[in-house]
């Protein structure tokens, strides 16, 4: 009996796949796994400003350890409740990996929902508190506080910034601040739907800047697709019931500002994640927006602006409205950035066009703005032109990406 046991032990020990993995080998395998996922962690998808946890196991580790599935840390002994000795429980697939389409759809929904709520609440505030410079500062201030709190708790971890990166981000932030303020001036002066119709001209300004400032060749097909955009905006402007020059010019300045923001953004491409970049841009933009608000609206606000608003809606509603409009502004921008990181350029283009349609339709329904037949037709033509332009440009970018990959 004793000799039989010894002989079986000898046979079992001779089998290579049943021997324990040496500590050094296991450690090396773990290091391989960390290095393999390092690139994913550095540029991974972001959810509400947080990075998704990368896969815990490496294919290299799986190949080396045959019996321990899916990785060393997941193996369980019979004492821990495995069904049979020597078998390991397979780690469950996470929800984000199992249903990526549902997650992306949820991001689009939140992007549109937050954007619509922001526009509606923003316009309601202007109906009893028409001070767009101060409200713009509140938008950025609430967002900056949100970012500082997020950094404090480590969600996400604050990325370091140096003087060189700061120099690159300052022009982007200045253009962001100017575009944001002028957009709010337009929102306060005219109907939300009309401001968004004018802002549909932004692709035209982008194409013009690329052609005449950056020296990039724009295909004739892109220029032709912009013709209905210009025509539609012109038709809508001629018969818009809420038209005034302050709202129109401010929206046009906003288009130009955001065009230059996109130009400077290309020069400021860094390895920093979008959540941290947007946080730094918000901080700089806040600093830029405070002086004009104090100079242009400060005396009026102190004299009767705050008192009039409080008399109309009360102190509590006034403060809560300002807080929530700032929160929705920051969240919709942050979720939009995170959403666009998850999708292809073509989906991005379609999503942007649909977002503008949602905002225009909901603003008309909520505020009951009366629009003429010509304004409605012009708005539809402009949005259709933006859609065609976005689809053509997205296809061109995808072809360039595939050509580089090949």
């Amino acid at each position: 009996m004793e000799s039989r046991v010894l002989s079986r032990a000898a046979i079992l020990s001779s089998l290579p796949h049943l021997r324990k993995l040496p500590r050094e080998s296991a450690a090396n395998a773990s290091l391989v796994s960390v290095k393999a996922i390092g690139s994913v962690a550095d540029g991974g998808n972001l959810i509400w400003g947080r990075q998704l946890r990368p896969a815990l196991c490496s294919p290299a580790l799986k190949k080396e350890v045959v019996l321990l599935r899916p990785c060393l840390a997941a193996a369980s002994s019979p004492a821990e409740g495995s069904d049979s000795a020597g078998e390991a429980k397979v780690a469950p697939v996470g929800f984000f990996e199992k249903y990526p389409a549902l997650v992306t759809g949820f991001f689009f929904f939140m992007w549109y929902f937050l954007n619509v709520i922001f526009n509606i609440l923003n316009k309601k505030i202007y109906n009893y508190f028409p001070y767009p410079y101060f409200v713009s500062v509140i938008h950025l201030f609430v967002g900056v506080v949100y970012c500082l709190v997020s950094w404090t708790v480590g969600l996400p971890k604050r990325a370091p910034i140096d003087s060189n990166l700061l120099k690159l981000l300052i022009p982007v932030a200045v253009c962001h601040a100017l575009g944001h303020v002028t957009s709010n001036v337009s929102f306060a002066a005219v109907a939300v739907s009309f401001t968004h119709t004018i802002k549909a001209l932004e692709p035209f300004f982008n194409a013009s800047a690329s052609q005449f400032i950056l020296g990039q060749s724009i295909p004739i097909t892109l220029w032709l697709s912009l013709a209905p955009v210009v025509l539609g905006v012109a038709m809508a402007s001629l018969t818009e019931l809420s038209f005034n020059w302050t709202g129109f010019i401010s929206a046009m300045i906003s288009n130009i500002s955001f065009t230059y923001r996109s130009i400077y953004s290309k020069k400021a491409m860094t390895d920093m994640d979008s959540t941290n970049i947007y946080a730094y841009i918000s901080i700089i933009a806040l600093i830029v927006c405070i002086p004009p608000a104090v100079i242009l609206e400060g005396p009026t606000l102190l004299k009767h602006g705050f008192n009039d608003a409080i008399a109309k809606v009360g102190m509590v509603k006034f403060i809560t409205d300002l807080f929530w409009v700032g929160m929705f502004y920051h969240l919709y921008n942050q979720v939009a950035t995170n959403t666009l990181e998850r999708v292809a350029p073509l989906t991005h283009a379609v999503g942007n066009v649909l977002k503008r349609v949602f905002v225009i339709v909901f603003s008309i329904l909520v505020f009951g703005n009366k629009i003429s037949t010509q304004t409605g037709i012009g708005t539809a033509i402009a949005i259709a032109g933006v859609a065609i332009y976005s689809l053509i440009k997205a296809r061109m970018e995808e072809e360039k990406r595939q050509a580089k990959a090949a």
Side-chain angles (χ1 to χ4, degrees), residues 271-315:
D271 293 331
M272 188 185 297
D273 64 271
S274 61
T275 303
N276 276 288
I277 286 181
Y278 184 69
Y280 283 120
I281 288 175
S282 297
I283 293 172
I284 301 171
L286 174 61
I287 297 172
V288 173
C289 287
I290 289 176
V294 172
I295 295 171
L296 297 175
E297 294 179 344
T300 307
L301 286 171
L302 294 176
K303 188 175 181 180
H304 57 77
F306 291 124
N307 293 331
D308 290 348
I310 294 171
K312 290 177 181 177
V313 298
M315 174 73 78

Side-chain angles (χ1 to χ4, degrees), residues 242-264:
S242 68
F243 179 89
N244 66 54
W245 284 107
T246 300
F248 179 81
I249 294 174
S250 297
M252 295 294 282
I253 295 174
S254 174
N255 284 333
I256 297 173
S257 301
F258 286 138
T259 296
Y260 274 94
R261 182 186 66 177
S262 65
I263 292 174
Y264 287 120

